Amino acid sequence: MINVSTIIAGVKLDGCVFNASGIRCETLTDLENLAKSESAAILTKSCTLEARKGNPIPRYANLEYGSINSMGLPNPGYKAYLKFSKIIKKKYKKPFIASICGMTLSDNIKMFKEFNNTPIDLIEFNPGSPNTIGKPIVGYDFTQMDRLLNAISKVAKKPFGIKLPPFFEPIHFNQMAKVLKKYPVKFITCVNTLGHGLAIDPKTERAIIKPKNGLGGIAGKYIKPTGLGNVRRFYELLDDKIQIIGVGGIYTGTDAFEYILAGASAVQIGTAFLQKGFGIFETVQDELTQIMKAKGYTKLSDFRGKLKTL
Ligand code: SIN
């Protein structure tokens, strides 16, 4: 019997594959559909204090090997998600994860406090979005991250994790790991989109999306090696004390297997969920199960983090 269940920050998930924040998880209907699907958890769109319309359209496009987006965090505001979480948790047993992306320190503190009084299971804090016009990617500012985590840790009663932007420099991995270790961060999600990519339509000679003169976050197959590298490096640096959720270019069971081998305790699916629909959760998990069976593994811990090097 193959067991692909996992435990994230003490919360049991029946499977190890669920949706990435941002894709089909904005409305109550979206969240209810996720509850009914094979997604192992229900993760919301990142919410802000006030409702946001997001960036001008077109702001998302499928690309040959993934996608580009500059959505700009369109969401109905955190109060909607306080309400949605209560409705969903009354009807479904599945773990519910709220994604929070406040524009300021005080917005984040307020939202963390408010989610304390809801039935949600976990919080994924998102300081890694490249798409807020006029704002930097907070996750690249280690001093600000330290200040944010310090403040959040004092108020959060729900277990929380951080969705990180992708890192590329050894020193940056070290600096972020040092900050994370100071606080009760239970998990990190690696990686958010690869910021400020540009997709061009050569026929029209135009950028494909409108915001930021065409610059947006790149996702899908383009970023899988970056996602794997980030999972692996943080797995080594965090001594397995902070769990890792892998995301970036997962379309198949093999992709999920590789992320777990690199050290992930669960994986999320974003672009492939949008492109292929709800069946992707079952497909990826079934394929993963087949791979495990063929290799004689019965549970994720049989191979999680056990990447061999040359
Ligand atoms: C967006 O809404 O712009 C995407 C959010 C993110 O990249 O974290």
Side-chain angles (χ1 to χ4, degrees):
M1 187 66 187
I2 313 283
N3 180 357
V4 291
S5 70
T6 190
I7 296 175
I8 301 291
V11 177
K12 167 102 192 284
L13 275 63
D14 288 341
C16 59
V17 183
F18 60 102
N19 70 297
S21 176
I23 309 298
R24 293 182 168 137
C25 55
E26 194 180 324
T27 66
L28 180 58
T29 308
D30 289 337
L31 299 174
E32 189 130 29
N33 286 337
L34 280 166
K36 291 179 193 153
S37 78
E38 293 299 315
S39 177
I42 306 159
L43 172 56
T44 72
K45 172 75 185 164
S46 295
C47 65
T48 47
L49 201 65
E50 305 297 341
R52 285 170 62 90
K53 285 202 177 77
N55 294 341
I57 56 170
R59 56 193 184 184
Y60 174 91
N62 286 319
L63 303 176
E64 193 176 357
Y65 299 110
S67 63
I68 183 168
N69 90 83
S70 182
M71 301 300 291
L73 298 165
N75 78 93
Y78 83 99
K79 282 187 185 151
Y81 294 101
L82 298 179
K83 207 161 61 186
F84 296 165
S85 69
K86 287 174 193 158
I87 296 168
I88 298 276
K89 283 302 282 187
K90 207 178 254 177
K91 277 175 83 174
Y92 303 94
K93 290 209 160 55
K94 202 177 269 188
F96 189 104
I97 311 169
S99 172
I100 291 181
C101 183
M103 294 290 125
T104 65
L105 177 66
S106 66
D107 286 6
N108 283 313
I109 291 173
K110 166 114 183 116
M111 288 190 281
F112 265 86
K113 277 187 181 162
E114 295 277 344
F115 275 106
N116 284 340
N117 307 315
T118 66
I120 64 156
D121 299 281
L122 301 169
I123 291 178
E124 184 181 87
F125 174 51
N126 175 15
S129 174
N131 302 332
T132 318
I133 292 168
K135 298 246 181 199
I137 299 173
V138 178
Y140 288 144
D141 180 337
F142 303 106
T143 311
Q144 207 185 332
M145 280 301 291
D146 199 324
R147 206 175 306 130
L148 266 168
L149 292 182
N150 185 35
I152 286 166
S153 303
K154 289 186 179 135
V155 297
K157 297 209 174 94
K158 299 284 180 183
F160 71 90
I162 320 285
K163 184 164 184 179
L164 293 174
F167 293 98
F168 304 94
E169 275 292 328
I171 188 163
H172 295 158
F173 286 107
N174 293 343
Q175 282 172 307
M176 180 49 77
K178 199 168 155 201
V179 173
L180 293 168
K181 280 182 183 170
K182 286 171 69 179
Y183 301 104
V185 175
K186 298 288 183 220
F187 65 93
I188 55 170
T189 303
C190 298
V191 290
N192 206 318
T193 55
L194 213 153
H196 306 121
L198 175 64
I200 296 173
D201 179 347
K203 274 199 216 102
T204 60
E205 303 178 15
R206 283 179 200 277
I208 286 178
I209 59 167
K210 185 175 170 74
K212 290 191 166 186
N213 291 333
L215 298 190
I218 303 296
K221 292 180 184 168
Y222 301 103
I223 74 165
K224 192 179 102 175
T226 302
L228 285 172
N230 274 250
V231 167
R232 187 63 190 171
R233 193 65 199 114
F234 280 116
Y235 179 77
E236 290 164 348
L237 285 168
L238 298 171
D239 311 317
D240 217 8
K241 292 201 176 85
I242 296 177
Q243 290 183 287
I244 306 175
I245 300 173
V247 57
I250 296 171
Y251 285 71
T252 65
T254 304
D255 298 327
F257 180 77
E258 289 175 14
Y259 268 99
I260 296 164
L261 205 54
S265 295
V267 297
Q268 298 176 352
I269 305 187
T271 299
F273 173 32
L274 191 66
Q275 294 174 342
K276 300 192 182 294
F278 283 91
I280 193 76
F281 301 115
E282 199 171 357
T283 304
V284 169
Q285 202 159 280
D286 283 355
E287 288 174 4
L288 173 64
T289 306
Q290 289 311 317
I291 293 166
M292 288 170 64
K293 199 169 161 193
K295 286 177 176 278
Y297 297 140
T298 57
K299 52 189 183 316
L300 301 185
S301 59
D302 289 345
F303 63 99
R304 193 177 64 79
K306 295 184 180 164
L307 174 73
K308 298 179 194 123
T309 53
L310 303 179

PDB file of all heavy atoms in Angstrom, residues 7-26:
ATOM      1  N   ILE A   7       2.310  15.581   6.457  1.00  0.00           N
ATOM      2  CA  ILE A   7       1.905  16.444   7.577  1.00  0.00           C
ATOM      3  C   ILE A   7       2.665  17.741   7.434  1.00  0.00           C
ATOM      4  O   ILE A   7       3.906  17.744   7.384  1.00  0.00           O
ATOM      5  CB  ILE A   7       2.190  15.766   8.929  1.00  0.00           C
ATOM      6  CG1 ILE A   7       1.329  14.503   9.064  1.00  0.00           C
ATOM      7  CG2 ILE A   7       1.895  16.727  10.091  1.00  0.00           C
ATOM      8  CD1 ILE A   7       1.599  13.677  10.302  1.00  0.00           C
ATOM      9  N   ILE A   8       1.930  18.852   7.307  1.00  0.00           N
ATOM     10  CA  ILE A   8       2.574  20.160   7.193  1.00  0.00           C
ATOM     11  C   ILE A   8       2.231  20.960   8.448  1.00  0.00           C
ATOM     12  O   ILE A   8       1.061  21.196   8.741  1.00  0.00           O
ATOM     13  CB  ILE A   8       2.076  20.929   5.930  1.00  0.00           C
ATOM     14  CG1 ILE A   8       2.357  20.135   4.640  1.00  0.00           C
ATOM     15  CG2 ILE A   8       2.686  22.339   5.858  1.00  0.00           C
ATOM     16  CD1 ILE A   8       3.822  19.995   4.251  1.00  0.00           C
ATOM     17  N   ALA A   9       3.250  21.342   9.173  1.00  0.00           N
ATOM     18  CA  ALA A   9       3.077  22.115  10.407  1.00  0.00           C
ATOM     19  C   ALA A   9       2.023  21.475  11.322  1.00  0.00           C
ATOM     20  O   ALA A   9       1.158  22.155  11.870  1.00  0.00           O
ATOM     21  CB  ALA A   9       2.675  23.555  10.065  1.00  0.00           C
ATOM     22  N   GLY A  10       2.083  20.155  11.409  1.00  0.00           N
ATOM     23  CA  GLY A  10       1.168  19.441  12.312  1.00  0.00           C
ATOM     24  C   GLY A  10      -0.206  19.174  11.718  1.00  0.00           C
ATOM     25  O   GLY A  10      -1.049  18.557  12.363  1.00  0.00           O
ATOM     26  N   VAL A  11      -0.434  19.624  10.506  1.00  0.00           N
ATOM     27  CA  VAL A  11      -1.748  19.436   9.873  1.00  0.00           C
ATOM     28  C   VAL A  11      -1.646  18.297   8.860  1.00  0.00           C
ATOM     29  O   VAL A  11      -0.804  18.329   7.961  1.00  0.00           O
ATOM     30  CB  VAL A  11      -2.217  20.735   9.169  1.00  0.00           C
ATOM     31  CG1 VAL A  11      -3.532  20.514   8.446  1.00  0.00           C
ATOM     32  CG2 VAL A  11      -2.332  21.865  10.184  1.00  0.00           C
ATOM     33  N   LYS A  12      -2.514  17.297   9.029  1.00  0.00           N
ATOM     34  CA  LYS A  12      -2.466  16.122   8.137  1.00  0.00           C
ATOM     35  C   LYS A  12      -3.157  16.427   6.810  1.00  0.00           C
ATOM     36  O   LYS A  12      -4.281  16.905   6.781  1.00  0.00           O
ATOM     37  CB  LYS A  12      -3.138  14.957   8.863  1.00  0.00           C
ATOM     38  CG  LYS A  12      -3.458  13.766   8.016  1.00  0.00           C
ATOM     39  CD  LYS A  12      -2.445  12.644   8.237  1.00  0.00           C
ATOM     40  CE  LYS A  12      -2.571  11.548   7.209  1.00  0.00           C
ATOM     41  NZ  LYS A  12      -3.677  10.648   7.377  1.00  0.00           N
ATOM     42  N   LEU A  13      -2.462  16.133   5.714  1.00  0.00           N
ATOM     43  CA  LEU A  13      -3.033  16.232   4.369  1.00  0.00           C
ATOM     44  C   LEU A  13      -3.127  14.809   3.820  1.00  0.00           C
ATOM     45  O   LEU A  13      -2.146  14.063   3.898  1.00  0.00           O
ATOM     46  CB  LEU A  13      -2.131  17.057   3.442  1.00  0.00           C
ATOM     47  CG  LEU A  13      -2.268  18.586   3.443  1.00  0.00           C
ATOM     48  CD1 LEU A  13      -1.910  19.177   4.796  1.00  0.00           C
ATOM     49  CD2 LEU A  13      -1.372  19.204   2.371  1.00  0.00           C
ATOM     50  N   ASP A  14      -4.276  14.449   3.259  1.00  0.00           N
ATOM     51  CA  ASP A  14      -4.450  13.084   2.761  1.00  0.00           C
ATOM     52  C   ASP A  14      -3.568  12.784   1.556  1.00  0.00           C
ATOM     53  O   ASP A  14      -3.321  11.626   1.230  1.00  0.00           O
ATOM     54  CB  ASP A  14      -5.920  12.831   2.392  1.00  0.00           C
ATOM     55  CG  ASP A  14      -6.774  12.716   3.647  1.00  0.00           C
ATOM     56  OD1 ASP A  14      -6.206  12.475   4.735  1.00  0.00           O
ATOM     57  OD2 ASP A  14      -8.005  12.879   3.542  1.00  0.00           O
ATOM     58  N   GLY A  15      -3.137  13.832   0.862  1.00  0.00           N
ATOM     59  CA  GLY A  15      -2.224  13.666  -0.262  1.00  0.00           C
ATOM     60  C   GLY A  15      -1.143  14.727  -0.142  1.00  0.00           C
ATOM     61  O   GLY A  15      -1.177  15.555   0.768  1.00  0.00           O
ATOM     62  N   CYS A  16      -0.209  14.715  -1.100  1.00  0.00           N
ATOM     63  CA  CYS A  16       0.886  15.693  -0.994  1.00  0.00           C
ATOM     64  C   CYS A  16       0.842  16.711  -2.128  1.00  0.00           C
ATOM     65  O   CYS A  16       1.803  17.433  -2.339  1.00  0.00           O
ATOM     66  CB  CYS A  16       2.229  14.974  -0.971  1.00  0.00           C
ATOM     67  SG  CYS A  16       2.491  13.980  -2.452  1.00  0.00           S
ATOM     68  N   VAL A  17      -0.288  16.760  -2.860  1.00  0.00           N
ATOM     69  CA  VAL A  17      -0.388  17.644  -4.023  1.00  0.00           C
ATOM     70  C   VAL A  17      -1.589  18.569  -3.856  1.00  0.00           C
ATOM     71  O   VAL A  17      -2.710  18.090  -3.677  1.00  0.00           O
ATOM     72  CB  VAL A  17      -0.580  16.803  -5.317  1.00  0.00           C
ATOM     73  CG1 VAL A  17      -0.614  17.708  -6.548  1.00  0.00           C
ATOM     74  CG2 VAL A  17       0.505  15.749  -5.468  1.00  0.00           C
ATOM     75  N   PHE A  18      -1.348  19.862  -3.907  1.00  0.00           N
ATOM     76  CA  PHE A  18      -2.494  20.784  -3.835  1.00  0.00           C
ATOM     77  C   PHE A  18      -2.248  22.032  -4.677  1.00  0.00           C
ATOM     78  O   PHE A  18      -1.199  22.167  -5.311  1.00  0.00           O
ATOM     79  CB  PHE A  18      -2.887  21.123  -2.388  1.00  0.00           C
ATOM     80  CG  PHE A  18      -1.831  21.779  -1.532  1.00  0.00           C
ATOM     81  CD1 PHE A  18      -1.869  23.155  -1.281  1.00  0.00           C
ATOM     82  CD2 PHE A  18      -0.821  21.045  -0.939  1.00  0.00           C
ATOM     83  CE1 PHE A  18      -0.927  23.770  -0.475  1.00  0.00           C
ATOM     84  CE2 PHE A  18       0.138  21.647  -0.136  1.00  0.00           C
ATOM     85  CZ  PHE A  18       0.085  23.010   0.101  1.00  0.00           C
ATOM     86  N   ASN A  19      -3.216  22.918  -4.699  1.00  0.00           N
ATOM     87  CA  ASN A  19      -3.149  24.081  -5.600  1.00  0.00           C
ATOM     88  C   ASN A  19      -2.151  25.113  -5.100  1.00  0.00           C
ATOM     89  O   ASN A  19      -1.954  25.296  -3.904  1.00  0.00           O
ATOM     90  CB  ASN A  19      -4.539  24.723  -5.732  1.00  0.00           C
ATOM     91  CG  ASN A  19      -4.999  25.415  -4.448  1.00  0.00           C
ATOM     92  OD1 ASN A  19      -5.168  24.775  -3.426  1.00  0.00           O
ATOM     93  ND2 ASN A  19      -5.179  26.712  -4.501  1.00  0.00           N
ATOM     94  N   ALA A  20      -1.541  25.818  -6.062  1.00  0.00           N
ATOM     95  CA  ALA A  20      -0.699  26.975  -5.723  1.00  0.00           C
ATOM     96  C   ALA A  20      -1.616  28.188  -5.588  1.00  0.00           C
ATOM     97  O   ALA A  20      -2.627  28.293  -6.297  1.00  0.00           O
ATOM     98  CB  ALA A  20       0.321  27.211  -6.827  1.00  0.00           C
ATOM     99  N   SER A  21      -1.241  29.086  -4.697  1.00  0.00           N
ATOM    100  CA  SER A  21      -2.040  30.300  -4.542  1.00  0.00           C
ATOM    101  C   SER A  21      -2.036  31.085  -5.855  1.00  0.00           C
ATOM    102  O   SER A  21      -0.998  31.195  -6.522  1.00  0.00           O
ATOM    103  CB  SER A  21      -1.459  31.162  -3.422  1.00  0.00           C
ATOM    104  OG  SER A  21      -2.180  32.358  -3.343  1.00  0.00           O
ATOM    105  N   GLY A  22      -3.196  31.602  -6.201  1.00  0.00           N
ATOM    106  CA  GLY A  22      -3.285  32.452  -7.392  1.00  0.00           C
ATOM    107  C   GLY A  22      -4.144  31.857  -8.483  1.00  0.00           C
ATOM    108  O   GLY A  22      -4.730  32.580  -9.278  1.00  0.00           O
ATOM    109  N   ILE A  23      -4.208  30.535  -8.533  1.00  0.00           N
ATOM    110  CA  ILE A  23      -4.935  29.892  -9.626  1.00  0.00           C
ATOM    111  C   ILE A  23      -6.280  29.382  -9.119  1.00  0.00           C
ATOM    112  O   ILE A  23      -6.329  28.530  -8.227  1.00  0.00           O
ATOM    113  CB  ILE A  23      -4.125  28.689 -10.193  1.00  0.00           C
ATOM    114  CG1 ILE A  23      -2.689  29.112 -10.533  1.00  0.00           C
ATOM    115  CG2 ILE A  23      -4.839  28.081 -11.393  1.00  0.00           C
ATOM    116  CD1 ILE A  23      -2.548  30.166 -11.602  1.00  0.00           C
ATOM    117  N   ARG A  24      -7.358  29.873  -9.697  1.00  0.00           N
ATOM    118  CA  ARG A  24      -8.709  29.381  -9.378  1.00  0.00           C
ATOM    119  C   ARG A  24      -8.942  29.227  -7.873  1.00  0.00           C
ATOM    120  O   ARG A  24      -9.388  28.166  -7.407  1.00  0.00           O
ATOM    121  CB  ARG A  24      -8.950  28.021 -10.045  1.00  0.00           C
ATOM    122  CG  ARG A  24      -8.999  28.088 -11.557  1.00  0.00           C
ATOM    123  CD  ARG A  24      -9.298  26.701 -12.087  1.00  0.00           C
ATOM    124  NE  ARG A  24      -9.634  26.725 -13.470  1.00  0.00           N
ATOM    125  CZ  ARG A  24      -9.180  25.845 -14.361  1.00  0.00           C
ATOM    126  NH1 ARG A  24      -8.355  24.895 -14.003  1.00  0.00           N
ATOM    127  NH2 ARG A  24      -9.571  25.909 -15.606  1.00  0.00           N
ATOM    128  N   CYS A  25      -8.602  30.262  -7.120  1.00  0.00           N
ATOM    129  CA  CYS A  25      -8.790  30.152  -5.670  1.00  0.00           C
ATOM    130  C   CYS A  25      -9.194  31.505  -5.072  1.00  0.00           C
ATOM    131  O   CYS A  25      -8.917  31.774  -3.915  1.00  0.00           O
ATOM    132  CB  CYS A  25      -7.532  29.607  -5.001  1.00  0.00           C
ATOM    133  SG  CYS A  25      -6.044  30.556  -5.355  1.00  0.00           S
ATOM    134  N   GLU A  26      -9.866  32.315  -5.913  1.00  0.00           N
ATOM    135  CA  GLU A  26     -10.188  33.681  -5.481  1.00  0.00           C
ATOM    136  C   GLU A  26     -11.589  33.782  -4.882  1.00  0.00           C
ATOM    137  O   GLU A  26     -11.811  34.508  -3.912  1.00  0.00           O
ATOM    138  CB  GLU A  26     -10.061  34.587  -6.711  1.00  0.00           C
ATOM    139  CG  GLU A  26     -10.036  36.055  -6.373  1.00  0.00           C
ATOM    140  CD  GLU A  26      -9.900  36.919  -7.622  1.00  0.00           C
ATOM    141  OE1 GLU A  26      -9.206  36.524  -8.567  1.00  0.00           O
ATOM    142  OE2 GLU A  26     -10.532  37.988  -7.636  1.00  0.00           O
TER     143      GLU A  26
END
